[in-house]
Amino acid sequence: MTKADIVQTVYHRLGLSKKESADVVESVFEIIRSQLESGEPVKIYGFGGFSMLDKKPRQGRNPKTGEDVEISARRVVTFKASQILLDRVNKGPS
């Protein structure tokens, strides 16, 4: 599912205009982005949580040449699904 698909679903379910639907979806994504940029976790009940993880620099290997390379430190976004979501996904379609 793409962002455009989400906008289309919001459009059909809520009866908003396509522009309003796109604004709602973009606003939700922007809120999540800004929270993560500031280092704050985002927890959505029944869905899961997003958080930032700082990774340390480490040694890696170029698989093509076998040469050792330094992988720089970086921040990554992690997602952990809630138990409610996992239960629904594992249950299958209703």
Side-chain angles (χ1 to χ4, degrees), residues 14-81:
L14 300 182
L16 301 173
S17 72
K18 286 192 179 183
K19 169 93 171 85
E20 290 171 329
S21 299
D23 289 345
V24 167
V25 171
E26 190 55 45
S27 292
V28 170
F29 288 157
E30 183 53 40
I31 291 166
I32 293 171
R33 266 192 299 268
S34 66
Q35 284 295 111
L36 291 171
E37 285 172 0
S38 67
E40 295 295 319
V42 176
K43 295 181 192 252
I44 303 169
Y45 178 79
F47 186 72
F50 298 90
S51 61
M52 295 300 298
L53 180 65
D54 291 319
K55 293 199 141 198
K56 297 178 182 176
R58 61 188 174 90
Q59 281 299 115
R61 185 175 309 267
N62 180 332
K64 199 171 197 176
T65 64
E67 179 183 337
D68 287 338
V69 293
E70 174 79 15
I71 300 173
S72 60
R74 63 196 187 284
R75 295 176 75 195
V76 296
V77 176
T78 62
F79 174 76
K80 184 171 193 275

